[in-house]
Structures are given as C-alpha cells and as structure tokens.
Amino acid sequence: METMALFKAKLLNKVYKTGWMKCLFVAVVVLIIFLLLPRKGTDVKTRGSARDSWGSAHKVKVHAEDSVAQGLKQRIRVLCLVMTLKENEESRALAVNQTWGRRCTKLLFVTSEMLEDLPSLVLRVEDGRNHLTAKTMAMFKYAFSHYLDQFDWFLKADDDTFFVMENLRYLLSLHDPSNKVYVGHHFKRYIDSGYMSGGAGYAINNAALRHFGEKSNLCVSDGWGEDIDFGRCMENIGIQCYQTKDILGRNSFHGLGFDEMMYWFDKVKLHAVQVKEPIHIGPSCCSQLSVSFHYLSPQQMYQFEFLLYRMAVYGRRTSDNMFKDFFPATTIPKGHYTEDPIPRFY
C-alpha cells in the first residue's frame, strides 16, 4: 500500500511539473486515436467506400440492349418492401438501394426507425424475430391503404436477398391480373397449401392484396414464423400458391445462399429434408431465369450487380423467344399439411 501511495505521489508531482496543459493535450490525442481504431468484432461501415463508388455507378456507360426489359418495367409496376433494421442502414440496406433496389418501381425499407437518407416505411412494431409476423402484416395493410391503386405487384424481401428484377417481372407478366396470385419459393410443409419462403422473398398481385386488405381479420396478428403465418393467412382467405419453377423443374426463387447451392451438399440435403422435395446443387441448382438469392453479404450483392449488369460475354446472347412458356403459370395443388412440429431455426 505504501509503494502504491508513493507511486501516486510521484506521478502527481511529475504531472504538476510538466504542466497540466501538456497532460490535457496528450490525453486528447490518446482519446482521438482510440476512437479512430476499428473495434474488434464490428462490421466496417460502407460509408465512404461503397456509398461513394457505387452511388454514381448508374452513370457509367454499359453496352446493352434492354428495350424488352424496359417495356416490362413500364407495364409491371412493383412495390418492393424490404425488411431491415436501423443498424443495417450503412451495410445491407445501402447495398440493396445501390444494386437491385434501383430497378423496383418504388423501393421502401420497412423499419421501426427512420433511416437517414434511404426511403423508409416506419412501422410502430417492435424489432426482433418474435414480431416478424406483426411487421409483415402491418406492412401489407399499409400497402393496401396507401398504394393499392399505384402498383400491380407487392414484393416482400429481406435485406440480405438479391433480386433480378427483370426475371421477376417476366415471371409475373405471365399471370392473369384478375387472379389472386401468391408466388415465391414454395415449401411443402405445415399448411395444406404450403407456403413461400420468407428468405427467398415472395410477391402477391394487386387482386391478392385487395382481398387481403378486406379479409385480414382472418389472419394472425403476430408471431415469429412470418412466412408460415403469411402462408396460412393466404390459405385462410382463399389465395392460392402459384408455381415458380421453370419447365425443367428448377427453382427461380432461392431460400438458400448461392454458395450453399453451388457446393455445400450437407446443408442443401438438410434443407431438402425440411421442405420435403429434392434440391439440386451445382450448375443444375437454379433456373436460368433465377429471380432471387438469399443470405448474401453486401459485398456479394455488389459482385452480383457487376457480373449481371456490368459484364458481358462477347459473341454470346440469348433471344427473348428462347424463354417463351419458360414458366408454367399454374397453381400448386394442395395436400402438403404435415403434423410435424414447426421448428425454430433461430
């Protein structure tokens, strides 16, 4: 104790002799250095990197003929509703806004807090997986009340999912607007009609949203299994699931990550057991007109954006006629109910 007291006394004496102004200056410098050092275990913000470099990417010249895609964009109006959190504003949400979100007719990030400079739909619903159902139901109710007459389709997406909007619009264009349509990556469990994967994203058309707005009292108001709850809601109000596999039986909406479908056999095998249907890996995993990929990092979204929209293979092109009748716009038969307990994967 005496040694410690002596040390303190010497230190105070040294500080006094050096001068308190010098000590204050040193303390401020040390504090600034500490604040500027990256924290272990935290994600690097994209402000100043992706925000700057990709913010004006649409101005860079790209040689492409996209008149057919632009025609579909004018004809098929899609409101994209992307679930996110305030903490993801400078990472996932920013990546969506700078990549595929640009090709939505209108993009809104569904949050509980206003985002600084991204288009936001603020819902007074508590964040967290336990309230995903409440957030989803409130989102579609808001769309029914405010946007019903402005859009043809309403897309629910997560902020770690990438959509190829041109392929989505082509798939959606095949449906009769008078039918009530619900599309996505179909899972054959828990509900007689089955349900669409939340991670892969799903869409309902104007007729379906109108019916939902009039009958939403038949749906649960909250819960953690958002995609299952919404699928059961669709069944309760008489809206059918429609097929999104192509004529070769390959999925166009993908609930798994791209890496997993390429070569993570064990994980894909487990997923196939969960959805009770075979899922292929490797080059045969996915439709040539794939619509969505889940579990992508912001970095992967920028990679997808570059490879799909800013790179070409010289001498190779596809004709629009090649994809005639590529997606059979048919309903999926019922009969998928199982008594398996609904597992919590998180």
Side-chain angles (χ1 to χ4, degrees):
M1 293 294 292
E2 291 181 3
T3 303
M4 181 59 70
L6 183 61
F7 173 76
K8 290 181 178 179
K10 289 182 178 180
L11 181 63
L12 289 173
N13 185 52
K14 188 173 182 179
V15 169
Y16 177 76
K17 290 181 177 180
T18 304
W20 67 273
M21 285 296 292
K22 291 183 179 179
C23 292
L24 180 61
F25 174 76
V26 171
V28 170
V29 170
V30 171
L31 179 61
I32 292 173
I33 293 174
F34 175 77
L35 292 174
L36 290 176
L37 286 174
R39 304 290 194 274
K40 184 178 180 181
T42 60
D43 294 329
V44 177
K45 297 292 186 183
T46 55
R47 181 182 291 277
S49 53
R51 178 176 286 277
D52 295 337
S53 59
W54 283 89
S56 59
H58 63 285
K59 298 178 182 178
V60 178
K61 176 66 176 178
V62 175
H63 297 284
E65 201 292 305
D66 64 349
S67 59
V68 174
Q70 290 301 321
L72 272 177
K73 185 176 182 180
Q74 296 299 317
R75 189 158 58 89
I76 308 295
R77 302 167 300 169
V78 183
L79 172 62
C80 299
L81 300 161
V82 180
M83 300 281 201
T84 194
L85 301 170
K86 177 67 174 178
E87 64 198 57
N88 293 339
E89 180 176 5
E90 288 296 317
S91 52
R92 293 179 177 184
L94 177 62
V96 169
N97 190 63
Q98 293 186 328
T99 58
W100 68 266
R102 291 183 182 275
R103 291 177 282 276
C104 299
T105 308
K106 185 178 182 65
L107 171 67
L108 289 175
F109 290 98
V110 183
T111 72
S112 59
E113 298 179 60
M114 181 67 70
L115 303 184
E116 184 178 340
D117 57 358
L118 298 178
S120 308
L121 168 56
V122 179
L123 299 176
R124 303 306 175 191
V125 178
E126 186 178 345
D127 286 329
R129 294 189 181 276
N130 289 333
H131 303 288
L132 281 177
T133 296
K135 202 171 188 179
T136 301
M137 298 299 179
M139 174 185 81
F140 279 117
K141 288 177 182 177
Y142 187 93
F144 169 74
S145 300
H146 296 81
Y147 294 112
L148 181 64
D149 297 327
Q150 299 179 40
F151 300 97
D152 307 297
W153 288 86
F154 302 84
L155 174 68
K156 178 269 174 188
D158 288 348
D159 59 8
D160 61 347
T161 305
F162 188 100
F163 278 84
V164 185
M165 292 300 296
E166 294 84 352
N167 294 352
L168 174 64
R169 282 193 172 94
Y170 173 61
L171 185 152
L172 301 180
S173 71
L174 303 175
H175 291 277
D176 184 340
S178 64
N179 293 333
K180 296 183 282 290
V181 183
Y182 168 42
V183 295
H185 182 158
H186 187 251
F187 281 178
K188 299 180 177 181
R189 296 189 83 172
Y190 312 127
I191 306 168
D192 195 31
S193 299
Y195 66 98
M196 303 303 179
S197 162
Y202 49 82
I204 59 176
N205 67 351
N206 185 282
L209 181 66
R210 183 182 301 276
H211 196 63
F212 167 82
E214 296 168 351
K215 303 285 186 179
S216 59
N217 60 302
L218 299 177
C219 305
V220 297
S221 59
D222 201 3
W224 64 268
E226 157 258 323
D227 47 7
I228 300 174
D229 288 336
F230 193 76
R232 184 172 286 112
C233 170
M234 294 291 99
E235 181 175 84
N236 288 347
I237 63 178
I239 296 177
Q240 292 182 284
C241 299
Y242 276 74
Q243 187 63 259
T244 59
K245 290 183 178 181
D246 65 23
I247 54 175
L248 299 177
R250 301 172 301 190
N251 283 311
S252 57
F253 287 74
H254 305 292
L256 287 173
F258 186 70
D259 290 348
E260 296 162 350
M261 291 182 295
M262 288 295 103
Y263 40 74
W264 288 12
F265 177 76
D266 290 339
K267 202 163 187 178
V268 173
K269 185 177 179 181
L270 173 62
H271 189 71
V273 171
Q274 292 168 356
V275 302
K276 295 190 178 296
E277 67 176 16
I279 294 180
H280 304 288
I281 62 170
S284 62
C285 72
C286 315
S287 173
Q288 191 173 352
L289 292 184
S290 283
V291 169
S292 71
F293 292 94
H294 190 209
Y295 295 126
L296 295 185
S297 68
Q299 292 81 2
Q300 287 175 308
M301 286 200 184
Y302 292 117
Q303 292 165 7
F304 266 57
E305 179 75 10
F306 179 83
L307 294 173
L308 286 171
Y309 295 97
R310 304 197 166 275
M311 182 176 170
V313 178
Y314 180 78
R316 176 185 170 93
R317 66 183 298 272
T318 58
S319 168
D320 304 323
N321 293 328
M322 293 179 182
F323 298 107
K324 185 179 180 181
D325 302 321
F326 197 65
F327 291 113
T330 57
T331 57
I332 299 175
K334 292 186 178 183
H336 305 303
Y337 174 75
T338 69
E339 294 184 359
D340 301 339
I342 300 176
R344 293 194 70 152
F345 299 110
Y346 31 75

